Amino acid sequence: MKKTLLMFSLIFALTATLNAGPKPYVILVSFDAFRWDYLNRGITPNLEKIRENGVSAISLRPSFPSKTFPNHLSIVTGMYPAHHGIIANSFQDPFTKKIYRLSDTNAVRNGRWYLGEPFWETAERQGVISASYFWPGSEISIPYRRPTYNQAYEHARPYETRIDGVIEWLNLPYEKRPHFITLYFSETDDEGHPFGPDSPEVNEAIKRLDYLTGYLFNKLNETQIRDSVDVIFVSDHGMTKIDKERRINIENIIRDEKCRLAESGPFMFIEPEKSKLETVYNILKKNEDHYKVYYKKDIPEYYHFNDHPFITSIVVIADLGWSVITNRKSEWDALGDHGFDNHQIDMHGIFLAAGPHFRKNYRTGTLWNIDIYPLLCKIFDIYPRTNIDGNLDRIEFILKN
Ligand code: AMP
Ligand code: ZN
Ligand code: ZN
C-alpha cells in the first residue's frame, strides 16, 4: 500500500514538473487614452515592428464607463466595472457617504472599494511573483492583494525611469524576480484632453510613446531573459473631440430640484431626494436631447452597468462628443474626452502583443478588455477566478498552438 502511494506521488510530481515548463515573463504596458487608430498615422515605427512580430487587434473594446480606473481594473480582473466595484474615477458610497476618488491616495489604497481579484493577486497566490510600475489598484494597503513590488503613483515620474525600474526587477536574482509586471504611461491622455485627438500635440505624444517602446525593447534586449518575455500593449480607452458648443448644463434643466450630482462630461450620476425621483427623471426625459436618461434598473443590458449598489438611481449618458455639465464645470475648456458608450469606436483602445506565446504577424478584429485576465491565466497556466465576465474562448486564438 505504502509503495503504491509512493509511486503515485512520484508520477504526480513528475507530470507536474513536465507540464510546468519554464515560467513565462509578461510585461503589461498601458498607454492611457491611446485610441485604436493612432497606430495608423504612420508615426509609430517601433509599434509597427511589434505588429509584424506579434499579434495586433483592430481595436480593444473598453468596458462602460470608458474611463481610466474602471478600465484598468477591468483589464486586470476580467470583470465589468459594476462587478469589480470601480464604477467611475470618482463615486460615493451612499450608505457611509465615503468617497472614492483617483486623486485621493487613502481612498485608492483602501481595499473596501475593490470587489474583483486583479491578476497579480491570482498569480501571487499560485506562486507567480508580480510587480507594478503603476496601475490603478496596485497600491491596495492589504499586502496579499497587491503585487510583491509596486510603486506609489507619481504622475511626473520620468518615463525612462519607469522602464529602467522594470528592467531592474527583471535583473533580480531568480528567486526574487517578478514574472508579471505592469507599466503605465499617461502621455496620450495628458495631451488628448486639452488639445483633442487630432491635434499636433497628440501626434507628438504618440511619437514619444513609440520612442519609449523602442527604449523598452533595447533595454530588454540587454537582459538574459529577452527571448522569454511577452510584452502586451493595451490602452484603457480612446478619445473623442468635444467642444464648448456641445454642452448641456444639467443643473439648468433640473433647476430647483435638490440632487446629488457626481461625475460630469460623458455621463453623470444623479441621486434626487427620494420623493423627487420621478419628478427629476421626468424633467430630464422631457428635455432628452443629445443625452439619454435612465433609471438605474433600465440602463441597457449592453452596458453591464446596473447591479452595483453605488450606481445612482438616475444615470445620464451624453451622446458621443457631447458633455453633460454642472455650473461648476462650465468653465472647463477641454477639446477631448472619453467615458462615453464603450461600443463607440472612438472609445476603443489598442491591443498589441509579441513574445514567445503569441502568433507572429497575426491580425485580428476587435478584442474585449475583460478577456485579458483569462488570457494571462492561460499564459501562466494558472487557475482563473470563476466569477469573471471575461471569456478565454474569445481571445485564446491569438496564442501560438
Ligand atoms: P481620466 O482621464 O480622468 O480617466 O484619468 C486619467 C488620469 O488618471 C491620469 O492623468 C493619471 O494621472 C491618473 N492615474 C492613472 N493611474 C493612476 C494611479 N495608479 N493612481 C492615481 N492616479 C492615476
Ligand atoms: Zn485613461
Ligand atoms: Zn482621460
Side-chain angles (χ1 to χ4, degrees), residues 88-112:
N89 284 343
S90 68
F91 53 94
Q92 190 188 54
D93 170 347
F95 308 104
T96 62
K97 310 277 184 257
K98 285 188 169 35
I99 289 178
Y100 180 93
R101 194 179 292 119
L102 62 79
S103 54
D104 177 346
T105 310
N106 283 331
V108 299
R109 292 183 180 171
N110 190 336
R112 74 193 295 276

Side-chain angles (χ1 to χ4, degrees), residues 223-257:
T223 67
Q224 300 211 322
I225 52 166
R226 62 189 214 199
D227 297 328
S228 319
V229 184
D230 292 304
V231 188
I232 305 175
F233 292 87
V234 295
S235 47
D236 49 351
H237 50 72
M239 184 69 74
T240 200
K241 234 159 117 173
I242 59 163
D243 50 61
K244 273 188 192 165
E245 281 65 51
R246 292 182 291 170
R247 283 179 182 166
I248 298 151
N249 188 327
I250 293 295
E251 280 183 297
N252 284 349
I253 296 174
I254 55 179
R255 290 181 182 273
D256 301 330
E257 302 302 339

Side-chain angles (χ1 to χ4, degrees), residues 35-99:
R35 198 168 74 183
W36 69 281
D37 60 326
Y38 290 176
L39 290 173
N40 306 329
R41 293 186 176 182
I43 52 177
T44 49
N46 288 307
L47 289 164
E48 196 53 40
K49 271 188 226 154
I50 295 165
R51 264 195 194 174
E52 283 157 23
N53 290 320
V55 172
S56 59
I58 287 187
S59 72
L60 183 67
R61 197 193 75 178
S63 304
F64 184 81
S66 42
K67 287 276 189 180
T68 298
F69 268 57
N71 279 289
H72 278 89
L73 267 301
S74 284
I75 291 166
V76 292
T77 61
M79 294 168 126
Y80 290 117
H83 297 156
H84 66 56
I86 306 302
I87 54 168
N89 284 343
S90 68
F91 53 94
Q92 190 188 54
D93 170 347
F95 308 104
T96 62
K97 310 277 184 257
K98 285 188 169 35
I99 289 178

Side-chain angles (χ1 to χ4, degrees), residues 138-154:
S138 64
E139 293 177 55
I140 298 186
S141 54
I142 307 164
Y144 74 86
R145 298 199 65 188
R146 62 172 188 243
T148 296
Y149 307 103
N150 72 354
Q151 289 279 333
Y153 186 70
E154 194 190 306

